Each structure stands twice: as C-alpha cells, then as structure tokens.
Amino acid sequence: MHTEIGAVIPKSLDELSHDEIRRKTLISKIMTRTLNYLTNELVEQDFEWLLPVVFSKMTDPLWPDPGASIEKRIEVEIYGETVRTTASMIIHKMFASSLAFPKLFILSPNVRIEKRERQGTGRHAYEFTQLDFELRNGSSKQVFRLVEGLICGLVKNLRRTSKEELSELGTFPELRVPKSPFKVHDAEKLKEKNGSDWETKLAAVIDEPVWVTNIPREFYDFQDFEKDSWDNYDLFVPKYGEILSGAKREFEYEKISKKIERDGVKRESYALLLKLAMEGRLKPSAGGGIGVERLVRWLVGAKHIAEVSPFPKVPGLVHEL
Ligand code: ASN
C-alpha cells in the first residue's frame, strides 16, 4: 500500500521481508544510541528522570492548536472515576517542576487518535513517544541553548559511533553537525509570507534546524497580551518539519483562568491546576517535548514515521501488535 508522499505504509514486524528487517534493525540501532545519548546528557546536566503515567483525570487538552486533528479522545472509567490516556505530560510537568523537581525529563507515550486522513502524511502516528523536559524558572533562551547542545552533540556522536549504519541507511553524507545558535523565525511572519502551508514550505527550504516562535495555541503556553505575542517555539528540521514543541509557561491564576474560558476548555478538567495557581504554588517554567520518532526519522531518512517504530501505529490502521 502506498501513500500520497510515496512512502509504503509500514507493515507489521511479522510481514517484513529479510531486507526490511535489516533496515528495521539499522534504524533501531540509531534509536538506541539516540535515547542513550539524550538521556545520559540530561542526567549529566542534573535533570531528574521521571517515569510516565498512562491514565489521569487531567491531560493536555490539545486545543486550540492549529495542528491538532484528533478523531477521538480515549476516556475510560476506573474505580468509578473517568480518566483519559496521556495526550502529553505537559500538565504533569507543570506540577512536578513547580512542586518537587526543578529540572526533569520523562520519556512518555502519547496517545492521539489522529484522523485517518493523516495516514499518509508520514509524520503522524496515533501512539508516539515524547522526550519531555521542563525547567523551573526557565526561559526560551535557556531551552534553545539546551536543545541546540543536545541536537548538535547527538549528530556529532552518531557520526562517530554509527557511520556504518547511517551510510547503509543513506543519511551519513548529508547529516552534518548543525551550526548553533539555530536561526529563529516568527510564525506570524511566515504565515503572512507563505500562507497557511508555511510549515511544509519552511521544511522544504531550510538546510539546518531552525526555531519558529510565536505560535497561537494551548492555554499553558505563555502569551504576552500587551505585545500580542506568544513566548513559545517549535523546532523544525530540513525536509521533515517539526520535531519539538515547547514554551515558557503561564503560571498566574488570572491569565490561566481567562485563557481556559476564552478557549472553551472545560474548567472542571483543570480545577487542580487552577487551585495550585490560585495558591501561588504554580511556578514559572519553560520546557518542551522532542518527538522521539520524528527525531529519528530525520536522522535515518525514513519516509514514514512508522518505519522507526517496532510496532507502527499508523492513523486508520490497527495491527494485532
Ligand atoms: N510537550 C509539549 C510541551 O512541552 C506539549 C505538547 O506536546 N502538546 O510544550
């Protein structure tokens, strides 16, 4: 089966040919070394490594987000209470960084039942993993430097440790250590210049990773009402587009409350967050989440994101495993 981007929809492990298994194992080597490198770096830099959650009453509303396309939210009842599967651990990160862990990261599974039309985009899976991190009292600048260090260090490390694998996968020659600091673009300006399709166009013209800031989206990202701008960011890589999103966070009760109201998000769902903010216990922070499969897709040059997963979760397709 082929998709609009010419990628073959990845098959289940048991359906792969000998050559396809070979490719899968090469990609897996890069995934292993990527996870090893990034987690080691963060631990070295004094980040606490937290374990993820699956069910909670509070999770990311993923709304309003121009990029969101959720067909269904998974809600189940346990012990007489309704809980949702994790869409992202953003709310948990805000609690954890405020109350206990000033520098933290989590490798967390995110469940987002994307619309079937996204089956062939090559960039969407209905289950994926974020390397999510948060810094109490952090700023965008700090996050930029942290991530630039991680990405440049990772590429350098892989070029040294994985020359054979990357050469066989075909990305070794073009996968260069990027120059930092990365360039910064304003999303509103990109939209003005390139129209609503700015993300695809940007990915097609860049040859190094770039930051995009000022993206209107969920209530927890910091918004400067006076300047009418957002202190948030996405990281784009050449050809493949966005691989990380993050922000400086809102922490003041009045602003969070107003934005929840404005966005039509259910207030009851975020009652505990509002309470924490009201009591002044929610602290300013900044952070982000790297889409692990998207990062590795770029490193190995995979047409479809599901190629980098052992058990692909392609929108619209449900395999046995
Ligand atoms: N992980 C993202 C962040 O830290 C949130 C998201 O994935 N929606 O901002």
Side-chain angles (χ1 to χ4, degrees):
M1 209 186 325
H2 286 263
T3 69
E4 71 228 37
I5 54 161
V8 175
I9 298 262
K11 297 174 263 183
S12 180
L13 269 187
D14 54 296
E15 299 166 336
L16 298 183
S17 68
H18 184 265
D19 287 354
E20 289 167 332
I21 294 270
R22 166 90 189 141
R23 187 172 156 77
K24 206 79 173 178
T25 54
L26 288 170
I27 293 175
S28 192
K29 271 269 172 290
I30 303 300
M31 173 68 86
T32 301
R33 288 177 189 151
T34 295
L35 292 172
N36 190 35
Y37 179 83
L38 295 176
T39 52
N40 262 329
E41 264 309 302
L42 289 167
V43 171
E44 288 282 308
Q45 295 185 37
D46 266 342
F47 281 74
E48 291 310 323
W49 189 344
L50 308 191
L51 293 174
V53 297
V54 175
F55 296 123
S56 332
K57 285 188 163 186
M58 243 186 303
T59 191
D60 193 331
L62 295 179
W63 178 263
D65 177 345
S69 144
I70 300 298
E71 180 167 306
K72 165 181 193 165
R73 293 179 197 271
I74 309 295
E75 278 188 354
V76 286
E77 208 194 283
I78 52 173
Y79 310 116
E81 302 269 6
T82 304
V83 289
R84 285 187 168 181
T85 48
T86 299
S88 94
M89 284 196 60
I90 177 61
I91 308 293
H92 294 74
K93 288 199 300 175
M94 290 165 85
F95 273 81
S97 72
S98 294
L99 300 176
F101 313 105
K103 292 168 93 175
L104 66 90
F105 74 96
I106 314 159
L107 274 168
S108 86
N110 288 195
V111 178
R112 302 183 186 176
I113 311 302
E114 302 279 356
K115 298 218 166 95
R116 285 150 219 255
E117 299 93 89
R118 290 197 159 177
Q119 184 168 99
T121 63
R123 6 183 313 104
H124 293 97
Y126 65 87
E127 257 184 61
F128 65 96
T129 303
Q130 282 205 53
L131 176 54
D132 240 333
F133 57 91
E134 201 71 17
L135 283 165
R136 187 192 294 167
N137 293 321
S139 65
S140 305
K141 282 267 150 36
Q142 258 174 301
V143 171
F144 285 8
R145 298 299 90 86
L146 169 73
V147 172
E148 286 161 3
L150 291 174
I151 297 290
C152 295
L154 172 66
V155 175
K156 205 167 165 184
N157 176 281
L158 290 175
R159 287 189 60 82
R160 190 169 47 76
T161 60
S162 311
K163 182 167 183 207
E164 257 177 57
E165 290 85 353
L166 292 173
S167 300
E168 198 174 330
L169 289 161
T171 54
F172 187 78
E174 64 186 72
L175 191 66
R176 299 266 151 216
V177 180
K179 284 186 274 310
S180 54
F182 302 164
K183 277 197 188 136
V184 183
H185 296 276
D186 181 292
E188 291 300 314
K189 289 193 186 129
L190 289 172
K191 218 180 289 168
E192 254 167 53
K193 222 172 113 194
N194 301 297
S196 58
D197 200 18
W198 64 269
E199 295 195 43
T200 318
K201 288 183 181 149
L202 180 65
V205 297
I206 54 177
D207 54 13
E208 295 254 297
V210 298
W211 293 106
V212 176
T213 61
N214 189 24
I215 311 155
R217 56 187 176 206
E218 292 89 345
F219 72 81
Y220 47 76
D221 281 10
F222 190 91
Q223 191 177 3
D224 187 328
F225 288 147
E226 263 151 45
K227 288 197 200 137
D228 191 22
S229 66
W230 293 72
D231 192 353
N232 59 6
Y233 35 83
D234 278 356
L235 181 68
F236 276 65
V237 294
K239 279 206 326 224
Y240 300 96
E242 187 257 305
I243 62 162
L244 169 153
S245 71
K248 187 175 141 184
R249 313 297 178 190
E250 298 288 6
F251 64 98
E252 288 171 316
Y253 173 79
E254 290 299 333
K255 282 184 82 183
I256 297 180
S257 170
K258 215 187 223 168
K259 290 171 85 180
I260 283 183
E261 216 58 55
R262 176 190 73 188
D263 296 350
V265 168
K266 260 200 215 148
R267 212 183 158 77
E268 315 83 83
S269 303
Y270 298 95
L272 193 63
L273 184 74
L274 286 162
K275 180 169 173 280
L276 201 73
M278 171 104 85
E279 293 168 355
R281 297 167 71 207
L282 190 62
K283 298 282 185 291
S285 67
I290 299 175
V292 173
E293 293 87 345
R294 285 185 177 181
L295 169 65
V296 173
R297 178 176 176 235
W298 168 56
L299 297 169
V300 303
K303 278 200 173 144
H304 201 289
I305 190 140
E307 278 180 62
V308 313
S309 307
F311 309 108
K313 304 289 176 187
V314 183
L317 282 182
V318 181
H319 293 295
E320 298 287 320
L321 292 171

